[in-house]
Amino acid sequence: AQKVTQAQTEISVVEKEDVTLDCVYETRDTTYYLFWYKQPPSGELVFLIRRNSFDEQNEISGRYSWNFQKSTSSFNFTITASQVVDSAVYFCALSERNNAGNMLTFGGGTRLMVKP
Amino acid sequence: DSGVTQTPKHLITATGQRVTLRCSPRSGDLSVYWYQQSLDQGLQFLIQYYNGEERAKGNILERFSAQQFPDLHSELNLSSLELGDSALYFCASSGASAGGGYPGETQYFGPGTRLLVL
């Protein structure tokens, strides 16, 4: 069965600090997809990134970067020079190729608080 | 704005009642998903429809049902409501690739319907 673990329930940093959010997943599938979503205080879920299991290249998008390591089943998310607007709950999610559909299994989320 | 719309934004009702949540997917998306977010269970997949047909089912209670209409909007019906059904219900949609609704498609989420059962 698929499982996603976000061990950090809450992180607090001061603005401009770098912060890494951890995500560890479990799957028996060789083909799978990983996602990160952001849930700001307003409540909506905002898509950030999608990664498939065959692409272990790290990705950078502005201040955001993602480190995918199959060897450790991790897909970590780093925010560089954090800003107050980054304060949100961040979810890591997994979808397996062998699912009948496209269900996402979410981690418990990490609440990030960025203080000015 | 993801392009997915959900109504109503908030809903307050009493135990034992029935409510209907509505979702309109992004233009062109054939797949619609429903998720429940509660404090104790986190974000949980309920059900997926693709082009009017049920594609996958998660931990959806028998008191809950859903459907997707020919115009692709979807409704989630919750009946015999209990206090524990209070949650944020999200709808998501994904792209219209051939035979779509398969793993790997990015799901775009609506703003959610916050349900409070008193």
Side-chain angles (χ1 to χ4, degrees):
Chain A
Q2 57 193 51
K3 185 179 177 183
V4 177
T5 301
Q6 295 180 255
Q8 306 149 308
T9 53
E10 205 166 286
I11 300 176
S12 182
V13 299
V14 176
E15 209 170 17
K16 296 183 184 175
E17 283 185 18
D18 298 347
V19 58
T20 295
L21 310 183
D22 297 333
C23 172
V24 173
Y25 61 91
E26 293 177 30
T27 177
R28 294 177 185 169
D29 225 333
T30 54
T31 302
Y32 52 89
Y33 306 85
L34 296 163
F35 301 82
W36 277 94
Y37 285 86
K38 174 183 180 180
Q39 187 174 37
S42 50
E44 73 273 24
L45 278 168
V46 179
F47 165 72
L48 295 177
I49 190 171
R50 169 192 179 275
R51 224 34 182 179
N52 73 53
S53 54
F54 297 113
D55 185 1
E56 283 194 76
Q57 273 195 325
N58 292 330
E59 179 151 341
I60 299 175
S61 176
R63 296 183 298 107
Y64 294 172
S65 62
W66 290 269
N67 183 302
F68 176 29
Q69 292 199 333
K70 285 178 77 170
S71 60
T72 56
S73 298
S74 64
F75 186 42
N76 296 337
F77 173 30
T78 297
I79 301 175
T80 302
S82 60
Q83 299 176 1
V84 173
V85 293
D86 295 326
S87 297
V89 181
Y90 291 86
F91 291 95
C92 181
L94 167 71
S95 175
E96 290 178 327
R97 178 66 181 89
N98 284 334
N99 283 337
N102 188 23
M103 64 171 280
L104 288 175
T105 295
F106 284 88
T110 297
R111 181 178 300 277
L112 174 64
M113 291 177 291
V114 181
K115 300 177 182 176
Chain B
D1 186 348
S2 67
V4 179
T5 60
Q6 289 187 248
T7 56
K9 286 187 179 177
H10 298 94
L11 201 48
I12 302 175
T13 188
T15 54
Q17 294 299 303
R18 173 190 168 95
V19 297
T20 297
L21 313 183
R22 183 188 167 104
C23 167
S24 292
R26 296 186 318 159
S27 177
D29 284 357
L30 298 181
S31 272
V32 167
Y33 312 78
W34 288 96
Y35 290 84
Q36 179 194 60
Q37 185 178 29
S38 62
L39 284 175
D40 51 346
Q41 299 287 335
L43 263 164
Q44 295 225 317
F45 169 73
L46 295 178
I47 197 163
Q48 175 192 353
Y49 278 83
Y50 171 73
N51 204 18
E53 301 285 329
E54 183 182 304
R55 175 63 66 89
K57 216 168 185 175
N59 296 324
I60 187 167
L61 299 171
E62 283 190 14
R63 301 183 284 109
F64 296 1
S65 64
Q67 54 184 326
Q68 186 180 26
F69 295 86
D71 67 352
L72 301 178
H73 91 271
S74 178
E75 292 181 357
L76 179 66
N77 299 297
L78 315 176
S79 61
S80 303
L81 285 167
E82 301 175 359
L83 296 178
D85 298 327
S86 296
L88 186 53
Y89 290 86
F90 284 107
C91 169
S93 72
S94 70
S97 54
Y102 285 126
E105 284 187 353
T106 296
Q107 296 179 32
Y108 295 91
F109 284 76
T113 293
R114 192 170 294 277
L115 173 66
L116 179 59
V117 182
L118 299 175

